[in-house]
Amino acid sequence: MNIHAYVSDFLDTQIKKDPAQKVFHQAVEEVVSSLSPVLEQSPVYVKEKILERIIEPERIISFRVPWQDDQGEIHVNRGFRVQFNSALGPYKGGIRFHESVNQDSLKFLGFEQTFKNSLTTLPLGGGKGGSDFDTRGKSDSEVMRFCHSFINELYHHIGYHTDIPAGDLGCGAREIGYMFGQYKKLTNDFTGAFTGKKPNWGGSLLRPEATGYGVAYFAQNMLATRQDSLKGKTCLVSGCGNVGIYAIEKLTQLGGKVVACMDYDGTIHDPDGINEEKLAFLKNLVFTRRGSLKEYAEHFPQARLLPGKKPWDIPCQVACPTACENELDEKAAKQLLKNGCQCVCEGSNMPCTPQATTILKESSILYSPGKASNAGGVAVSGLEMTQNSMRIYWTREEVDAYLQRIMKNIHESCLNAAAQYGQPGNYCAGANIAGFKKVADAMLDQGLV
Ligand code: GLU
């Protein structure tokens, strides 16, 4: 059989089924385009129609979320949970609250999550959920009423052994708290059915930091393959949420100088670097006051706000996109290379457009896909589940040691799979192949379900 023709027919058929699901197809194409050598070596995956099965979510739950604002006006949002794949464990993945949420975006995220979770080596299936509800500009009580309404339906479908949601864009410890509270009330059951809980009622230490720290550890591992390190490297971080802020913290602790980050207003460029004092200001601004980066530029005169701009034009050696999908395009990729960037380490899910991905893959720089380098968050979610089952808490140091080990293992699996299938140094191919094989083999073992 001609595998390339099979893969291309397969992609065409999928696109025809749901022509509007562009971002999901982008993710599928990105994974499947790496798999030809695997399918050639193991035709059983083709015979057993593993590709056709793996891209179909096991279940999608779609529901109405009515809620009342502080003025008593009624609003209706859409809620979803995409339970993508449970071959390796219960569905696991975050909840995104953002106006962009729809079935397409959640299928993309659930699909990515399946391979990411597989790479962590922990027993986790893949899922993703959310709502087109935007938490920005809402009061705490509005967010609480919304979260309770969201769970009034979702509680039927999740649970400690079934599906364990966590946070994502627009969904942090506050939202997890409200959702967990309502889940507990409805089920009368205190179990770790969510991760990202606060540490005083079941959460793991270091969970908030884990995705960002993991990104920095992954970058460190990549640079080490070239006998290099983060010491003295100028770094760009785009997003300024949980992932971005803790990536800044760890990149700095490992010797890097982070000179930019970004939010809805634009990018701040701080040529002196975001040091400890400025980071403390940033954390307070973003996490406590939910303010805007404009204030950072007002507070620290050496920093400049570049309104509506992304950071990719600023010269750097290490770039970590940590905001959202397709935030780094072809032009940005070319500019990064032109400015001498040596490493692009993805912190968000699929931040590079397909054209940018191709350019970075074809260059000689180190380039890692989000499903590998941002897996630290869900990995520590897995460790939160372990601690909940054991009814103990590990120290920060214990969790950090696990996190570092897991990121090192993921890095190694990517390199090994890439080398084994004839693409040494290609982290994207390696992550796709290693993530896919584990899920595919479990699906073969479990038969046609
Ligand atoms: N939303 C995060 C991710 O994209 C974390 C998911 C989790 O902890 O379950 O991996």
Side-chain angles (χ1 to χ4, degrees), residues 92-94 113 116 128 164 166-168 195 207 349 374 377-378 381:
K92 180 81 196 88
Q113 195 80 45
K116 183 195 309 193
K128 198 85 180 193
I164 305 95
D168 196 76
T195 61
R207 175 61 190 88
N349 296 307
N374 78 21
V378 74
S381 275

Side-chain angles (χ1 to χ4, degrees), residues 11 23 30 56 61 68 73 77 95 122 155 170 191 198 202 246 252 257 298 301 384 390 405 418 429:
L11 289 170
V23 62
E30 198 274 320
E56 215 51 71
I61 300 135
Q68 248 176 335
E73 196 177 322
N77 285 94
I95 297 276
L122 301 174
Y155 93 97
T191 54
K198 285 222 178 129
Y246 289 113
T252 310
K257 180 165 102 169
E298 283 158 14
E384 180 171 330
M390 295 165 80
R405 204 176 321 144

Side-chain angles (χ1 to χ4, degrees), residues 150-226:
F150 186 78
I151 289 301
N152 285 344
E153 175 57 36
L154 192 63
Y155 93 97
H156 292 292
H157 311 283
I158 59 175
Y160 187 56
H161 296 293
T162 314
D163 184 352
I164 305 95
D168 196 76
L169 206 68
C171 179
R174 173 183 63 171
E175 290 75 17
I176 295 289
Y178 293 145
M179 289 195 283
F180 179 79
Q182 186 72 348
Y183 177 82
K184 180 164 61 76
K185 170 104 185 160
L186 293 170
T187 58
N188 195 23
D189 207 18
F190 195 119
T191 54
F194 287 82
T195 61
K197 305 183 289 295
K198 285 222 178 129
N200 51 335
W201 47 272
S204 174
L205 290 174
L206 217 81
R207 175 61 190 88
E209 294 89 339
T211 314
Y213 278 19
V215 170
Y217 291 144
F218 202 91
Q220 189 187 34
N221 280 304
M222 286 202 288
L223 288 162
T225 63
R226 299 189 175 175

Side-chain angles (χ1 to χ4, degrees), residues 376-398:
V378 74
V380 173
S381 275
L383 302 179
E384 180 171 330
M385 291 162 65
T386 309
Q387 293 168 78
N388 291 165
S389 301
M390 295 165 80
R391 296 181 193 282
I392 56 163
Y393 289 107
W394 291 331
T395 63
R396 239 181 112 79
E397 289 70 29
E398 283 170 310

